[in-house]
Amino acid sequence: MKDLTPAQNSLDPIEIASRDEITALQTERLRWSLNHAYKNVPFYRQSFDAAGVHPDDLSSLEDLSKFPFTVKTDLRENYPFGMFAVPRDQIARIHASSGTTGQPTVVGYTQTDLDHWGSVVARSLRAAGLTPGDLLHNAYGYGLFTGGLGIHLGADALGLATVPISGGMTPRQVRLIEDFQPKGITVTPSYALSILDEYHKQGLDPRASSLQVGIFGAEPWTNAMRAEIEQAFDMHAVDIYGLSEVMGPGVSMECVESKDGLHIWEDHFYPEIINPETGAPVEDGEQGELVFTSLTKEAFPIIRYRTRDLTRLLPGTARAMRRMEKVTGRSDDMIILRGVNVFPTQIEEALMAVPGLAPHFQIELTRPDRMDQMRILCETADTSVDAAGCAKALSASVKQTIGISVKVDVGSTGSVARSEGKAVRIVDNRPKG
Ligand code: DLL
């Protein structure tokens, strides 16, 4: 793999600023953001008043913990535009979450917000080793989802040439990578695996492709998966994180030269980690739920938003701004099986360690005889593999490393449902209620 480390002089000054400079900028911006939300969004006025706090109560960053949290249902209850802090005619873009679990969450951006979004995504793409003039194959979905259009904004801002292919039509994805010779690909890790399958189906060698870096996010994925993808494509694989409520992709990004977690672009997004049970902030380095406050957003300021993503904060390395560790999972995706907490990423890690298994999997939950049961559906990498042996090896490894008994069904190649965007890892067939 080629060394893609960006030139130090191509970085934004804030990427190499001192901690004091970052703190000073954050404090000033946080004060602005709290005031902006309080003055212009009735929801925040009510929630601050109810908690007995006022934006003027903030004199240092630590004071933020006095302010109330915002959760997904708050956004749903203000559907569609109730959380906007600017008049409708100043909104330049709308995005929304898919709403598979309820009412969609609608977010808005002013032109200035879009410019900021473009700049943090540009910074992220540069951290992945892309430079002006490079060709980018953007296979995140275009539409209400922030993935496709968010990456596109940043690619424009950095001066890349974008192939806006979006997700789906996998044979065409392979054909265009082969014909256009992009240097980078932006895609969910699970859809990258579908593209990889298609390479093999067409009898093409993915290691011979032009791709030098893949920028993967929008769903949890493990370092074991990184190793698999890097090996399969002979390219770097780096992690990009974000969520629509906070902006979209580009809230944090892993650097290609260090691959040691994701630097949060702290000049725009202020992170905290809290204990998910008590809501109390925890020290850097401790695991908990990630909470974000926007520092510059005009249309949709967001104060102490509980992401439900579990991670921890670490000091800066390749950049001055702090890192978040690769997300273990969402608290909503945590399965409690007979008292043991399990995340799909743990199953992914166990599965990737069994030779002969393909990296595709789904977890089915059922409740026979009022006892929760987990079944892992996965598949062999090719026809020569001993499926029964692999099933035994995976269930033994899950028992040993996670401490739970699971059923494993190893089907033939192609038997597990494929993703064209975010993978559906858990199929919950337990009785409702
Ligand atoms: O998934 C934004 C995005 C698009 C990020 C493209 C990266 C690349 P939402 O649809 O609002 O936005 O979903 C946000 O996805 O709270 C996490 O649970 C999960 N997620 C996003 N990136 C990562 C990642 C986009 N790198 C939700 N690792 C978040 C783990 C991620 N989970």
Side-chain angles (χ1 to χ4, degrees):
M1 285 186 279
K2 267 208 188 126
D3 179 10
L4 297 181
T5 311
Q8 193 75 4
N9 65 8
S10 68
L11 306 182
D12 295 343
I14 195 73
E15 292 181 77
I16 44 173
S18 70
R19 194 68 232 172
D20 285 351
E21 285 171 298
I22 295 171
T23 304
L25 181 70
Q26 286 176 326
T27 311
E28 179 197 317
R29 287 184 169 179
L30 186 54
R31 218 172 271 135
W32 173 83
S33 190
L34 290 171
N35 270 296
H36 175 59
Y38 187 75
K39 273 195 206 127
N40 298 299
V41 184
F43 165 81
Y44 285 117
R45 178 172 291 260
Q46 281 155 20
S47 80
F48 290 10
D49 286 350
V53 282
H54 186 272
D56 293 344
D57 297 338
L58 185 109
S59 49
S60 73
L61 294 174
E62 287 69 45
D63 293 332
L64 182 61
S65 63
K66 297 179 191 156
F67 288 79
F69 293 117
T70 307
V71 294
K72 188 134 193 145
T73 45
D74 296 326
L75 309 188
R76 290 213 175 109
E77 282 164 11
N78 286 283
Y79 175 87
F81 300 153
M83 299 295 277
F84 289 7
V86 298
R88 234 289 297 120
D89 64 359
Q90 286 177 35
I91 299 286
R93 176 83 67 78
I94 303 271
H95 279 284
S97 72
S98 58
T100 40
T101 51
Q103 188 118 342
T105 313
V106 180
V107 296
Y109 307 78
T110 63
Q111 187 53 51
T112 305
D113 294 333
L114 291 178
D115 293 345
H116 285 149
W117 191 11
S119 80
V120 289
V121 173
R123 215 187 259 174
S124 305
L125 297 172
R126 189 177 52 217
L130 296 173
T131 51
D134 285 341
L135 191 62
L136 177 69
H137 183 96
N138 185 15
Y140 285 119
Y142 279 65
L144 285 173
F145 175 52
T146 52
L149 285 158
I151 294 290
H152 197 115
L153 262 181
D156 280 351
L158 184 59
L160 307 181
T162 310
V163 182
I165 188 160
S166 194
M169 295 200 267
T170 315
R172 195 178 66 157
Q173 301 270 351
V174 172
R175 197 172 71 234
L176 296 196
I177 294 170
E178 288 298 297
D179 292 350
F180 297 174
Q181 304 274 300
K183 175 171 163 186
I185 181 168
T186 37
V187 62
T188 60
S190 58
Y191 191 44
L193 295 177
S194 306
I195 294 176
L196 180 62
D197 280 353
E198 184 61 30
Y199 258 90
H200 294 136
K201 215 187 270 171
Q202 295 189 19
L204 294 166
D205 178 8
R207 290 181 61 87
S209 85
S210 60
L211 293 171
Q212 293 181 35
V213 62
I215 298 160
F216 302 106
E219 61 187 10
W221 58 300
T222 58
N223 282 319
M225 181 74 84
R226 184 208 306 273
E228 171 96 11
I229 292 176
E230 289 195 328
Q231 166 64 22
F233 281 101
D234 188 25
M235 68 173 177
H236 295 279
V238 283
D239 199 354
I240 187 165
Y241 169 90
L243 63 167
S244 32
E245 295 89 333
V246 173
M247 185 70 104
V251 171
S252 66
M253 176 72 200
E254 196 166 50
C255 294
V256 71
E257 66 270 38
S258 45
K259 294 182 191 158
D260 59 354
L262 304 91
H263 289 274
I264 298 168
W265 302 133
E266 283 193 78
D267 49 339
H268 293 280
F269 316 107
Y270 185 76
E272 296 171 271
I273 300 283
I274 59 160
N275 175 322
E277 263 104 61
T278 64
V282 303
E283 294 292 317
D284 282 12
E286 269 183 58
Q287 271 278 348
E289 179 181 340
L290 184 59
V291 169
F292 274 113
T293 299
S294 64
L295 298 178
T296 54
K297 283 210 302 175
E298 296 178 341
F300 193 90
I302 189 105
I303 310 298
R304 301 198 86 205
Y305 185 66
R306 292 188 61 157
T307 65
R308 303 190 184 198
D309 293 323
L310 302 171
T311 181
R312 59 196 185 116
L313 292 178
L314 300 166
T317 50
R319 301 291 184 277
M321 288 175 261
R322 280 177 292 178
R323 288 165 300 148
M324 53 187 261
E325 197 171 55
K326 232 172 174 348
V327 170
T328 322
R330 294 173 61 78
S331 50
D332 330 21
D333 283 346
M334 188 177 80
I335 303 157
I336 306 177
L337 202 74
R338 295 186 288 281
V340 181
N341 298 350
V342 191
F343 287 100
T345 45
Q346 290 172 281
I347 303 295
E348 180 175 299
E349 255 166 16
L351 173 128
M352 305 286 297
V354 177
L357 285 180
H360 308 280
F361 71 99
Q362 242 178 1
I363 295 166
E364 187 200 36
L365 299 174
T366 52
R367 188 173 290 157
D369 308 321
R370 288 200 248 146
M371 281 281 276
D372 281 359
Q373 207 170 75
M374 184 190 292
R375 188 163 73 104
I376 303 173
L377 296 99
C378 50
E379 59 183 55
T380 50
D382 59 66
T383 45
S384 67
V385 172
D386 164 23
C390 287
K392 236 169 121 184
L394 180 56
S395 71
S397 144
V398 168
K399 176 87 199 166
Q400 203 189 0
T401 56
I402 310 174
I404 51 170
S405 300
V406 295
K407 234 176 134 293
V408 178
D409 281 341
V410 180
S412 54
T413 309
S415 56
V416 175
R418 293 293 192 266
S419 126
E420 292 191 344
K422 294 185 191 243
V424 178
R425 290 302 187 203
I426 303 174
V427 181
D428 193 347
N429 288 331
R430 292 174 297 188
K432 302 276 169 296

